[in-house]
Amino acid sequence: MRNYRWMMGLLLILMLSGCGGSSGVPEATATPTRTPMVEEVTPTATAIATATPTIEPVVEPQVQFTPPPPDVNPFTGLRVADPTLLDQLPIAIKVSNSREARPQSGLGSADWVFEHLTEGRITRFTAVFYGLSPERVGSVRSGRLLDLEIPAMIGGAFAFSGGSGGVKERMRGSDLFPNRIMSPDFGAGQLYFYRVQLQSDLAFEHTLFTNPAVLRQLATERGVNQRPQFPVYTAFNETPPLISADPVTYLEVNYLMNYCTAEWTYNATSGLWQRAIAGQIHTDALTGEQITAANVVLIYANHVESEFWEQMIGDSSGWIRSLEIQLWGQGSALVFRDGQMYSVFWKREGRDHLLTFWDGAGQPFPLKPGNTWFQMVPLNTTVQELSAGRLQFTP
């Protein structure tokens, strides 16, 4: 195997840009460390990020992201048949990625899905539902520090069950609490969350489910079920951008080999990426259909150990510090759309800002209209070319 050719080109460009040139290609570097955008409980230790250079677009942006029409979903860029469906609260729901919980329910209906590392290198999903409300989502699992950022970003609520004491204290001290935190841990019980034994031998922790429509009833009772407004908006365009790209038809993110390897294969007929996991087609339990995405985006972000401890499932002696994934500021990203890979910047400069993407010339980079899966990866993630147009990323 060899490193993908653009990585070597990137290093050369960066060296030249350090001598006064401009690259047009972002570097996979750290998001500036800052105090999280929530009211914090006083920590017992300080999380320290590895020092890395920060990045800036080579020129100031010349085009601003504008609000979509009122009948367009801001998370997909797609028109909805009934605009009143958007006069409601987006819901982010924590979903298990344990092998026993697959296939999960409802992931195929999510507008955005964030896959991220937890303790032990397994992953979990935070799925954002706005345009569609599947009848069942889950199994629902415990929240992480990243889940203080996603609901704030989307102007929505967060539904989960469980979490370390430190994470729950952070939630209590955040601007999401109490009205936009929905969990049995904070009093949202039956009706809003319920147990279903989908398989006879399924462990108890994999039996909790919820429904976005029912959670919005709770949001109505709390007076927060309304359309969000954003200072900036994610850009969408059906036409691929006319900037440099590499043809890619397959990518995998090898979080944990043979267990949490996210695999995406481009289908040129449908124009969508088809998902598999650890060599198995990844389906939605509600439909039996393979999960697909219009866009797959690798987000490079600081992953730092927090002061909180998480217990390893199945290991009473296994404790590890909870990861804080710093999804704020700016950093590098790879956008996969239309069978092409684009190297761009991501930005989120305010707590209530949606993710936006920018090319090296400081111009907005549009996603393809449709749903998006975000693969969150650490800054030291490596990439190799398995064969022509087939990439393997290893966090």
Side-chain angles (χ1 to χ4, degrees):
M1 296 183 184
R2 62 184 177 84
N3 286 335
Y4 202 50
R5 65 182 183 279
W6 61 267
M7 295 296 288
M8 297 303 297
L10 176 60
L11 293 175
L12 177 60
I13 291 170
L14 291 172
M15 287 189 290
L16 292 174
S17 65
C19 298
S22 63
S23 70
V25 182
E27 179 187 2
T29 57
T31 303
T33 301
R34 64 151 176 78
T35 302
M37 294 178 286
V38 296
E39 181 184 347
E40 291 196 33
V41 175
T42 302
T44 57
T46 302
I48 301 175
T50 302
T52 49
T54 59
I55 55 173
E56 294 289 344
V58 295
V59 298
E60 288 299 314
Q62 301 172 14
V63 178
Q64 298 299 316
F65 293 87
T66 57
D71 62 344
V72 172
N73 184 335
F75 304 124
T76 66
L78 297 174
R79 294 188 181 278
V80 296
D82 180 5
T84 63
L85 292 175
L86 304 181
D87 293 329
Q88 59 185 357
L89 188 74
I91 304 288
I93 302 176
K94 201 69 184 183
V95 178
S96 173
N97 193 25
S98 296
R99 183 181 287 122
E100 297 84 354
R102 302 171 193 157
Q104 297 89 346
S105 297
L107 288 180
S109 298
D111 295 332
W112 284 1
V113 178
F114 293 81
E115 181 172 12
H116 68 90
L117 284 166
T118 64
E119 58 281 356
R121 300 193 64 80
I122 63 172
T123 65
R124 285 209 178 142
F125 305 119
T126 303
V128 175
F129 297 90
Y130 190 42
L132 299 174
S133 292
E135 65 188 37
R136 185 176 69 239
V137 176
S139 60
V140 177
R141 293 302 301 273
S142 55
R144 295 296 187 273
L145 289 172
L146 177 64
D147 299 311
L148 287 164
E149 303 302 324
I150 296 171
M153 176 197 311
I154 65 171
F158 176 52
F160 70 104
S161 178
S164 68
V167 170
K168 287 191 284 188
E169 282 303 308
R170 283 275 193 98
M171 289 182 178
R172 284 191 186 93
S174 78
D175 54 2
L176 302 173
F177 191 82
N179 290 334
R180 292 197 285 154
I181 294 293
M182 300 176 174
S183 172
D185 300 67
F186 296 104
Q190 273 289 346
L191 175 64
Y192 308 113
F193 297 88
Y194 55 91
R195 297 280 174 183
V196 179
Q197 192 78 26
L198 295 180
Q199 304 169 32
S200 60
D201 59 346
L202 198 61
F204 184 76
E205 64 264 23
H206 302 309
T207 63
L208 191 68
F209 294 86
T210 189
N211 179 322
V214 173
L215 293 175
R216 290 193 182 98
Q217 294 178 23
L218 179 59
T220 298
E221 295 170 13
R222 294 177 172 180
V224 294
N225 190 21
Q226 57 195 13
R227 180 190 292 247
Q229 301 294 324
F230 304 104
V232 295
Y233 288 82
T234 307
F236 293 91
N237 197 316
E238 191 69 45
T239 303
L242 297 176
I243 66 172
S244 177
D246 287 292
V248 173
T249 57
Y250 172 86
L251 68 138
E252 65 180 52
V253 185
N254 190 16
Y255 294 106
L256 182 61
M257 183 168 293
N258 300 324
Y259 192 94
C260 288
T261 301
E263 304 165 18
W264 293 96
T265 302
Y266 183 65
N267 185 317
T269 301
S270 66
L272 300 175
W273 296 90
Q274 298 174 319
R275 182 175 167 89
I277 186 164
Q280 301 295 318
I281 291 175
H282 196 179
T283 61
D284 188 320
L286 297 182
T287 64
E289 297 178 356
Q290 186 171 14
I291 292 172
T292 60
N295 309 279
V296 178
V297 182
L298 264 69
I299 300 285
Y300 291 84
N302 268 338
H303 288 51
V304 299
E305 290 186 347
S306 76
E307 66 272 25
F308 310 134
W309 294 92
E310 304 282 349
Q311 185 173 5
M312 300 280 288
I313 295 297
D315 183 355
S316 61
S317 63
W319 290 84
I320 189 169
R321 289 192 183 273
S322 183
L323 280 176
E324 181 173 63
I325 301 174
Q326 298 178 341
L327 188 58
W328 57 73
Q330 64 179 16
S332 296
L334 295 174
V335 174
F336 297 85
R337 56 161 294 177
D338 304 297
Q340 301 288 321
M341 179 184 71
Y342 298 87
S343 185
V344 300
F345 296 96
W346 64 266
K347 275 191 176 185
R348 179 177 168 245
E349 297 182 320
R351 180 153 172 79
D352 57 351
H353 285 202
L354 287 173
L355 283 173
T356 57
F357 299 93
W358 306 80
D359 65 24
Q363 294 299 304
F365 181 93
L367 300 180
K368 183 174 183 173
N371 66 323
T372 300
W373 277 63
F374 297 100
Q375 305 289 160
M376 303 296 300
V377 297
L379 300 175
N380 61 354
T381 297
T382 61
V383 57
Q384 289 184 307
E385 184 178 36
L386 302 175
S387 59
R390 295 170 56 85
L391 303 181
Q392 179 188 67
F393 296 87
T394 303

